[in-house]
Amino acid sequence: MPKKTQGNTQEMRFKPRQIIGGLRRIKMVVEYDGAAFHGWQIQTDPPVPTIEAAILEAFEQITATKPEDLVAAGRTDRGVHATHMTCHLDTFAPIALNKIQTGLNRFLPDTIAVREVEEVDQNFHARYSCVGRKYTYKILNRRNRSPLYHARAEHVPHQLDLAEMQRAAKVLEGEHDFSSFRSAECQGKGPVTTLKSIQLEKTDDDIINIHLEGVTFLHNMVRIITGTLIEVGSGKRTAEDIQALLDARDRTKAGKTANPNGLYFTEALY
């Protein structure tokens, strides 16, 4: 059996370990409601429902074979959603491209769908070829809860100061040490990363969208930023406090980690 291509390092991002004859690399864009799943990555101890496991099982249903590899641009946590998660799947199966998409969508649960499929060169890597990622966090900002946004947005019943939140958000743009905005369990190589942009908008249905674009995101970074911005919007902090939080490099100084149900992975950039 040829060696799997999984395990490429960041430095080898445009060169797979070896080109494997007959291996097909299928690039897919997947949409999912993560409320019922324990994140993207497969977990076996104990076995729990994950997005990766569901895709692997569906692929085996249509080809009677397991894929050689399945890699996503990002690994969303339990309860987190995606509108456009890019991944690649490696297989030797000769199944037609259109039948891969149709077959997967037939066997996947209603909460997961393959939006796009494309056969690509083995030099493409969903994770290491990615040069940027986008997330959106949704806050339902009204007194009453919403059945439609249950498990799909953070509910904040009191009025938030959107202008002050945006002022605070601008301080976070650029390259910083985000130690105050990453979880203690973060396994990233270091706390320094670049947040290219962060924009807030409020829609007519009382949803505040926080749109973030960055090169890489640390574990729980978006949710901790959101929790801190909610405190700013609630009058518990000011925009001027944000620089002090960056300088402190101390997770205990920033706001709480917002719930996962409002977080969406929206795009991988290549």
Side-chain angles (χ1 to χ4, degrees):
M1 176 67 68
K3 294 180 180 178
K4 294 171 64 176
T5 56
Q6 187 178 28
N8 296 348
T9 65
Q10 187 90 21
E11 292 71 24
M12 297 169 63
R13 61 193 298 176
F14 300 113
K15 296 181 180 179
R17 188 169 293 170
Q18 65 180 113
I19 298 297
I20 300 174
L23 184 72
R24 304 170 64 201
R25 178 155 291 182
I26 310 299
K27 176 185 175 184
M28 304 190 297
V29 176
V30 182
E31 177 180 357
Y32 53 86
D33 178 341
F37 295 92
H38 290 242
W40 169 273
Q41 190 173 12
I42 194 167
Q43 300 177 45
T44 57
D45 187 23
V48 291
T50 68
I51 307 299
E52 183 180 17
I55 295 174
L56 292 174
E57 183 179 341
F59 187 80
E60 193 168 359
Q61 288 281 338
I62 62 175
T63 65
T65 61
K66 296 179 183 294
E68 300 301 306
D69 211 354
L70 178 61
V71 179
R75 295 177 178 177
T76 52
D77 289 334
R78 179 177 182 175
V80 176
H81 319 293
T83 60
H84 297 79
M85 173 62 79
T86 301
C87 60
H88 76 251
L89 181 150
D90 289 342
T91 182
F92 291 99
I95 184 172
L97 199 61
N98 66 316
K99 291 186 178 179
I100 291 177
Q101 182 175 17
T102 302
L104 287 176
N105 285 335
R106 176 186 175 190
F107 288 105
L108 283 169
D110 292 341
T111 47
I112 307 174
V114 178
R115 298 178 60 132
E116 303 171 23
V117 294
E118 175 188 0
E119 193 155 349
V120 294
D121 187 274
Q122 288 181 44
N123 285 290
F124 173 82
H125 194 283
R127 179 181 175 191
Y128 296 132
S129 298
C130 184
V131 297
R133 295 161 176 85
K134 293 184 178 181
Y135 286 88
T136 293
Y137 196 97
K138 294 182 178 293
I139 301 169
L140 175 65
N141 190 207
R142 72 183 193 197
R143 180 178 178 181
N144 297 316
R145 61 182 178 85
S146 166
L148 295 180
Y149 282 106
H150 172 68
R152 292 177 179 85
E154 171 94 346
H155 181 210
V156 178
H158 57 270
Q159 190 69 27
L160 294 173
D161 186 336
L162 188 64
E164 187 70 3
M165 292 170 70
Q166 182 66 75
R167 257 199 344 121
K170 296 299 287 185
V171 180
L172 296 168
E173 291 184 341
E175 182 180 270
H176 300 288
D177 182 322
F178 282 94
S179 293
S180 294
F181 297 91
R182 70 168 180 166
S183 73
E185 294 78 28
C186 182
Q187 297 178 356
K189 291 182 178 180
V192 178
T193 190
T194 300
L195 185 58
K196 289 187 174 182
S197 68
I198 176 168
Q199 299 292 330
L200 283 74
E201 61 167 355
K202 189 167 185 178
T203 66
D204 292 338
D205 55 351
D206 298 315
I207 292 292
I208 293 176
N209 289 312
I210 305 177
H211 302 294
L212 306 97
E213 179 183 344
V215 178
T216 59
F217 286 85
L218 306 172
H219 188 228
N220 283 351
M221 178 175 164
V222 175
R223 292 166 57 194
I224 297 170
I225 287 175
T226 298
T228 304
L229 291 180
I230 289 174
E231 292 186 0
V232 171
S234 303
K236 298 178 181 178
R237 299 178 189 264
T238 67
E240 286 70 30
D241 293 333
I242 302 302
Q243 186 60 54
L245 292 177
L246 288 170
D247 295 340
R249 301 177 184 178
D250 182 349
R251 169 64 191 97
T252 65
K253 303 295 184 183
K256 73 166 189 176
T257 304
N259 292 328
N261 56 6
L263 183 57
Y264 297 73
F265 184 102
T266 56
E267 188 177 359
L269 305 174
Y270 296 95

